[in-house]
Amino acid sequence: MIKKHIIMASLCLVTPMSIQAQTVTPHLYVEQDSCVEINEVVVTGLTGTTKMKYSPTPISVVNHNDLHQQFSTNIIDAISRQPGVSQVTTGSGISKPVIRGLGYNRVVVVNDGIRQEGQQWGDEHGIEIDAETVNSVEILKGPASLRYGSDAMAGVIIFHDAPQLTNNGIRTTVSSEYQTNNGLFDYSLAMQGRQEKLFWGARWSQKTAHAYKNRYDGYVYGSQFSEQALTGNVGLHHALGQSQLKLSYYHLLPSIVEGERDEDTGAFEVADGYESLKSYHHALPYQQINHYKAVFDNTLALGEGSLKAILAYQQNRRQEYEEPKEAELDFLLHTINYDIHYHVPLSYELQLVVGAGGMYQHSSNKGEEYLIPDYRLFDAGLFTTLSYNHRDWTFSGGLRADYRHINASELYEDDDLRFHHFSRNITGYTGSAGAIYNLTPRLNLRANLSRGFRAPNISELASNGEHEGTARYEIGNDRLKPEYSTQIDLGVDYSSYLVSVQVALFANQIDHFIFARHDPSSPAFTGYRTYVYTQGDARLYGGEATIDMHPMKNLHFINAFSMVNARLLHQTEDAKWLPLTPAPRWNMDVRYEWPALHLKANSLRLTNAYVAGGLECNLRQNHFYAVDDTETATPSYTLLNASVGTDLTKNGRRVASVSLIGSNLTDKAYQNHLSRLKYTDLNNATRRRGIYNMGRNLTLKLTLFI
């Protein structure tokens, strides 16, 4: 019987279930007829594929079942409960990933083998990925600039799609979901096929939700959203390896929560003619995001090694509407990505990888309002890595050089200079060195030293306009230096049949950390405070610890704790903490599983049945950026969650999967420290500031395998 481990910690956590080994370019697999431990998990986030046992840096892996056995409204929400991972949210439709206290352009998101490029510098800009296409996720924690170049300072999130069919035929999957709190309904239809060397796939997904509710605010006007996605691929196995073309379209239409209230009653102000707070129709103001992507992916066997070559094109268009028909802000971004690397074994113990990667971007303004100028960007990087395995030791490291050129265009508005022309050339040199010692077959010790790099983004360099998402007027600084980070990671993991323990600690020093600071000497524009981008040094440290006790074969008692301390150095008392630092968090889960339960009729069996319950405790966050009340302290809160589910098999074939998930079962009214709605208007009727997160919610998921 195959067993697998659900990953719950910064390295990996074991809980038994079943995962099928894949024979073609595996993303995550385990070997058959073996009791799987952390050392058997294969990850692809590094160059090539490697076992978790040989990774000196912490990596979390979230498998397909774990993704679909929990409540979420988008793909970032689905992984935000992993230790060391959190999210900046704007309602339930927009989420941005945060790894160990750093987010935005300090986290690289990889999908279809290339970095996702939208408008990730913005507070209210989410990730343009259909959650239904994601089969598993790898989360690399810590600087990964060696492999991914600029922006991978905090880490990398890699989304993998479903593996290809290994046998000839066609497989169809239909899935649906309903949530009681916001009336979310989605469905997805997917088909996969294979005929000898030819393989293909297609998926259509659609999701819609009305406003969510909580005990204090009722239904939150502007929190509704809708989403559609279409993906397809076709590929061929040939004499040299494999080639595949992937095409995708993603459309998101979220309303924007402004939180304006009636001064007397505290009720939300609703646009004229709007029907109901439970309407599925978008409310004013709202965004419209369209993301198109084409990826040509090749894996070729050359000599003793393998060559991976990817060329991709992305088009992202983000529009913001204050009125129904004409977009005020309208950003159009074109991106061409390229990535090529060659992996060759120099000997049984020594592995070499050399590669190059980068992108070309062209962004233009199509709307009536402006925040950033039109710009062109060219990015290129060269890297090499070596890994050496000898008995119980593994050593790995590498070097990388990056070059970025950015050219911003001049723009006049009503004969006044809005954006001046500037051109910047930015170089960066990074590297890492790490070691793993397998003290025993079950106990591993890890250490890694890495250097990260991030070039300032266009918003930080050249903003000059109202940023509606932050309710402030932002002014960039084209003389900003690139950020550099130096991070030390230490870890230990132990795994047995009775207990699994993982501990990962880190310390990170960032030079020239970029942040927006209120400038009281600058005039206020259109009633907004003026913020100017500046730099300082920052220091972050913290870690994650997880223990999974399984005294019985099918019973797991899991505790996970994560925290980060993030400071701006040489600052005043009210400015010494980094903005948007997640609160310390403790998760406790109890899970019991039944491998198989026989039913009386027609050879039906319940397989992988489970029942689970848990607590999510976010501690009080007293470390906040207090300048001009930019942030305030956030009280602690605890959420009670539970779920139950099973697969249904007939004659050994899975025909359905169903689960019922309850989140925030006590209907707790709370505000997460990284919720941007925490700082909306004061409710004069209750004297509470801001909007609270979602209340009690029940989710029903059903998947049919045809």
Side-chain angles (χ1 to χ4, degrees), residues 22 24 163-171 192-194 199 237:
Q22 302 297 328
V24 181
Q164 307 158 14
L165 294 183
T166 56
N167 299 316
N168 291 342
I170 296 177
R171 181 172 64 191
Q192 284 184 293
R194 180 171 182 138
F199 60 92
H237 295 283

Side-chain angles (χ1 to χ4, degrees), residues 30-52:
V30 298
E31 298 173 358
Q32 295 194 24
D33 301 321
S34 66
C35 181
V36 180
E37 299 176 1
I38 182 175
N39 297 341
E40 302 305 322
V41 177
V42 171
V43 295
T44 64
L46 311 172
T47 47
T49 60
T50 185
K51 287 185 179 181
M52 188 76 71

Side-chain angles (χ1 to χ4, degrees), residues 228-502:
Q228 296 86 34
L230 176 64
T231 60
N233 71 288
V234 60
L236 180 68
H237 295 283
H238 47 76
L240 291 179
Q242 173 184 298
S243 297
Q244 182 176 193
L245 177 65
K246 299 180 181 179
L247 302 174
S248 65
Y249 165 69
Y250 176 89
H251 176 257
L252 177 66
L253 201 156
S255 297
I256 299 175
V257 182
E258 293 188 322
E260 296 179 352
R261 299 177 183 267
D262 184 277
E263 292 186 359
D264 297 323
T265 66
F268 291 112
E269 293 187 356
V270 178
D272 293 338
Y274 194 73
E275 303 171 359
S276 166
L277 287 175
K278 294 181 66 175
S279 171
Y280 286 90
H281 188 267
H282 62 263
L284 290 172
Y286 67 92
Q287 294 185 54
Q288 179 168 250
I289 299 96
N290 290 288
H291 194 90
Y292 301 86
K293 183 164 54 176
V295 180
F296 185 45
D297 187 346
N298 299 273
T299 303
L300 308 174
L302 294 179
E304 298 296 324
S306 62
L307 179 71
K308 183 77 168 178
I310 299 178
L311 181 66
Y313 168 75
Q314 300 179 74
Q315 182 192 106
N316 181 278
R317 188 164 193 175
R318 186 175 300 274
Q319 300 167 299
E320 295 186 6
Y321 293 82
E322 293 288 340
E323 299 297 332
K325 295 183 179 180
E326 191 165 1
E328 279 73 23
L329 283 174
D330 189 346
F331 301 119
L332 179 61
L333 177 66
H334 303 272
T335 303
I336 297 174
N337 304 85
Y338 62 95
D339 182 88
I340 182 170
H341 61 267
Y342 182 61
H343 177 204
V344 57
L346 300 179
S347 68
Y348 178 76
E349 297 176 323
L350 187 63
Q351 307 285 324
L352 170 69
V353 178
V354 294
M359 62 182 174
Y360 168 79
Q361 285 188 337
H362 177 207
S363 177
S364 56
N365 287 284
K366 301 295 183 181
E368 296 181 342
E369 297 181 2
Y370 308 98
L371 175 60
I372 60 173
D374 297 353
Y375 72 91
R376 295 178 186 269
L377 179 149
F378 175 75
D379 187 79
L382 298 172
F383 70 91
T384 182
T385 66
L386 276 173
S387 62
Y388 177 71
N389 299 321
H390 182 67
R391 296 181 180 176
D392 297 326
W393 285 92
T394 300
F395 301 94
S396 62
L399 297 172
R400 182 182 178 108
D402 281 283
Y403 168 79
R404 173 169 290 187
H405 173 77
I406 186 168
N407 188 299
S409 301
E410 184 179 75
L411 174 68
Y412 280 87
E413 185 179 21
D414 299 327
D415 297 326
D416 294 326
L417 181 63
R418 180 66 175 270
F419 301 108
H420 70 272
H421 169 265
F422 73 89
S423 180
R424 287 283 303 272
N425 296 313
I426 301 171
T427 57
Y429 302 95
T430 54
S432 71
I436 307 102
Y437 178 53
N438 305 126
L439 189 62
T440 73
R442 298 187 179 277
L443 180 63
N444 302 313
L445 305 178
R446 307 168 189 272
N448 193 74
L449 176 65
S450 54
R451 179 79 161 162
F453 158 76
R454 185 180 79 89
N457 63 47
I458 187 63
S459 177
E460 297 161 339
L461 290 170
S463 287
N464 185 12
E466 304 168 20
H467 196 171
E468 298 285 354
T470 58
R472 63 193 190 191
Y473 196 100
E474 296 182 355
I475 298 178
N477 179 357
D478 61 16
R479 296 182 298 276
L480 292 173
K481 299 178 181 179
E483 295 179 347
Y484 277 98
S485 68
T486 303
Q487 180 162 316
I488 299 175
D489 284 280
L490 300 174
V492 57
D493 57 88
Y494 173 80
S495 180
S496 73
Y497 287 98
L498 296 178
V499 64
S500 301
V501 180
Q502 295 83 36

